[in-house]
């Protein structure tokens, strides 16, 4: 009697890894990379924005996880931020930036692999914004791959007013996160079967960093709010069942906090393990022999988001119904009601919770 055929392992889907922007919260990307390695999940291309371009370039260039963490952990605040005292004295308000870009560039030269785009171990792309036109460019694409890796990453990380823009070919290039902090739309053009994306934008259901009524703090917080709204729209349009969205709980860390690197890395690994072992698009890819001892698999799949409203707090303003793209709410009476207690269509943008003026909405299974 012949034996029945054995089920073969699922074919590995073409996978694109997207590493979003978020300042020093981007150290969570290191933890995500470590989780991917432990679970045996491989990727075929990396797309990075801002700090995601820095970590992504190191990974795409062949650096090991421990090497990336060691290099990043050794970076001090002085390596990035040195005030433009001379320019301030000479030009005053006409100076291009608060901090010296050459100091930041030198630190990038020390930590980035000395490779061209066509020499990377896996294809790598990162974005920047052209100030003159407002359009985006993705370094590494045809016609935009002759730039040095240092220049590409510098331009993707150069926050406006903080570092000087990259001057190239008569144009000025700045931080790609200004318009696309989680570039899912570009990732889809690479024809993947699976996208693993890391979103570090501040969410309404998370504790926000302490806000101080100062110039720089106000500018940073304003940027984060704009970033969050843009990410909401991106998630609304681009997230489907093929996208495994990882949202590390690192909102408590400052955008430029250099003293919590290990904590942020650990948070990234923990959230990646939870997401990748439970998401419908990735859980079948997990190679169990690579799971470390003590990994707590979730009790339930994370394919849905639980939605609840505190009726005592709800004012019936209707904003939840207005901002939710999946019609999870109905606000036609004195109080809003939830139409989808287990919302499988939710894109995890947190728009409802962020916009609720009475803090009545609670999201779970995130």
């Amino acid at each position: 009697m012949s034996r029945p055929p054995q089920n073969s392992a699922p074919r590995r889907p073409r996978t694109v890894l997207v590493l979003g922007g978020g300042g020093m919260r981007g150290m969570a990307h290191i933890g995500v990379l470590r989780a991917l390695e432990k679970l045996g999940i491989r990727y075929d291309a990396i797309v990075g924005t801002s700090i995601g371009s820095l970590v992504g370039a190191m990974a795409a260039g062949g650096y090991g996880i421990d090497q990336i963490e060691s290099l990043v952990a050794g970076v001090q605040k002085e390596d990035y931020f040195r005030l433009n005292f001379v320019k301030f004295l000479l030009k005053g308000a006409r100076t291009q930036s608060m901090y010296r870009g050459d100091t930041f560039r030198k630190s990038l030269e020390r930590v980035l692999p000395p490779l061209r785009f066509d020499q990377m171990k896996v294809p790598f792309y990162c974005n920047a914004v052209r100030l003159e036109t407002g359009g985006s460019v993705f370094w590494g694409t045809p016609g935009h791959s002759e730039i040095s890796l240092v220049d590409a990453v510098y331009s993707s990380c150069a926050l406006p007013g903080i570092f000087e823009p990259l001057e190239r070919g008569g144009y000025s290039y700045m931080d790609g996160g200004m318009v696309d902090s989680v570039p899912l739309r570009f990732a889809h053009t690479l024809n993947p079967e699976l996208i693993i994306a890391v979103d570090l934008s501040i969410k309404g259901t998370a504790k926000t960093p302490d806000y101080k009524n100062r110039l720089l703090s106000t500018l940073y917080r304003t940027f984060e709010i704009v970033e969050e709204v843009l990410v909401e729209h991106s998630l609304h349009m681009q997230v489907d069942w093929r996208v495994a969205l990882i949202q590390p709980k690192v909102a408590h860390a400052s955008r430029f906090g250099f003293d919590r690197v290990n904590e942020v890395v650990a948070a990234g690994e923990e959230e990646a393990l939870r997401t990748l072992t439970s998401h419908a698009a990735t859980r079948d890819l997990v190679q169990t022999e690579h799971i470390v001892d003590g990994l707590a698999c979730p009790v339930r799949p994370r394919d849905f988001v639980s939605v609840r409203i505190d009726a005592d707090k709800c004012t019936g303003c209707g904003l939840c119904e207005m901002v939710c793209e999946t019609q999870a709410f109905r606000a036609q009476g004195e109080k809003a009601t939830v139409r989808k207690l287990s919302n499988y269509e939710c894109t995890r943008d947190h728009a409802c919770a962020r916009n609720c003026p009475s803090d009545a909405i609670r999201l779970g299974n995130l």
Side-chain angles (χ1 to χ4, degrees), residues 43-338:
Y43 44 82
D44 301 282
I46 299 177
V47 182
T49 295
S50 196
I51 190 67
S53 73
L54 172 57
V55 177
M58 297 168 81
Y63 285 4
I65 311 300
D66 291 340
Q67 183 182 9
I68 296 174
E69 184 170 10
S70 175
L71 288 169
V72 171
V75 171
Q76 301 299 316
K77 189 171 183 179
E78 292 76 15
D79 294 333
Y80 287 89
F81 303 109
R82 186 169 297 171
L83 284 172
N84 263 328
F85 284 119
V86 175
K87 287 188 177 181
F88 272 123
L89 290 174
L90 295 177
K91 295 185 177 182
R94 292 180 295 117
T95 190
Q96 290 179 296
S97 65
M98 293 187 59
Y99 297 100
R100 291 175 50 178
D102 59 344
T103 302
F104 182 29
R105 283 181 54 83
K106 289 177 182 177
S107 68
L108 293 178
E109 290 172 355
R110 290 197 301 270
V111 301
L112 287 174
L115 302 174
R116 301 189 307 268
F117 273 91
D118 61 356
Q119 296 174 319
M120 304 296 270
K121 305 303 180 184
V122 298
F124 171 69
Y125 310 90
C126 63
N127 64 344
V129 179
R130 183 181 286 178
L131 290 180
E132 287 79 6
T133 64
S136 295
V137 60
F138 279 85
W139 306 119
T141 57
H144 298 288
S145 60
E146 297 304 315
I147 186 173
S148 72
L149 191 60
V150 169
D151 281 347
V153 172
Y154 174 86
S155 69
S156 189
C157 293
L159 273 170
I162 306 302
F163 298 115
E164 299 99 334
L166 172 72
E167 305 291 341
R168 177 179 171 84
Y171 292 104
S172 307
Y173 295 94
M174 295 294 293
D175 191 325
M178 293 296 298
V179 297
D180 201 354
S181 186
V182 188
L184 291 167
R185 182 170 56 176
F186 174 79
H188 278 293
T189 69
L190 300 177
N191 298 316
E193 298 167 273
L194 169 66
I195 295 176
I196 298 174
V198 186
D199 170 22
L200 300 174
S201 60
I202 301 297
K203 300 302 179 188
T205 55
K207 180 181 181 297
T208 58
D210 293 333
Y211 167 70
K212 297 178 177 60
N213 191 12
R214 301 171 185 169
L215 174 60
L216 279 181
S217 180
T218 300
L219 289 175
Y220 294 156
R221 186 64 190 127
T222 301
F223 173 75
E224 286 175 343
I225 292 171
V226 173
E227 177 184 57
E228 183 178 356
V229 173
L230 292 175
V231 169
E232 282 177 13
H233 290 296
S234 175
L235 299 184
H236 285 166
M237 294 185 292
Q238 304 298 331
V239 169
D240 57 23
W241 62 272
R242 295 171 296 173
V243 178
L245 186 64
I246 301 170
Q247 296 175 313
K249 295 174 176 60
V250 292
H252 60 284
S254 168
R255 177 173 286 270
F256 297 114
F258 286 75
D259 56 343
R260 310 181 80 163
V261 171
N262 293 335
E263 177 185 336
V264 173
V265 171
E269 180 178 356
E270 177 183 355
E271 189 62 26
L273 289 172
R274 289 181 63 232
T275 299
L276 297 172
T277 55
S278 58
H279 193 282
T282 55
R283 59 182 176 237
D284 290 340
L285 300 176
V286 173
Q287 299 178 23
T288 54
E289 66 268 24
H290 291 284
I291 299 179
V292 295
D293 293 338
L295 171 62
C297 292
V299 176
R300 60 190 179 205
R302 301 183 69 212
D303 302 350
F304 66 89
V305 172
S306 64
V307 185
R308 301 292 184 271
I309 290 179
D310 186 337
D312 293 333
K313 291 183 178 181
C314 179
T315 62
C317 67
L319 281 176
C320 54
E321 182 178 358
M322 181 189 78
V323 301
C324 180
E325 293 292 318
T326 62
Q327 300 180 338
F329 301 91
R330 180 175 175 81
Q332 300 301 318
E334 292 184 0
K335 303 285 185 178
T337 56
V338 179

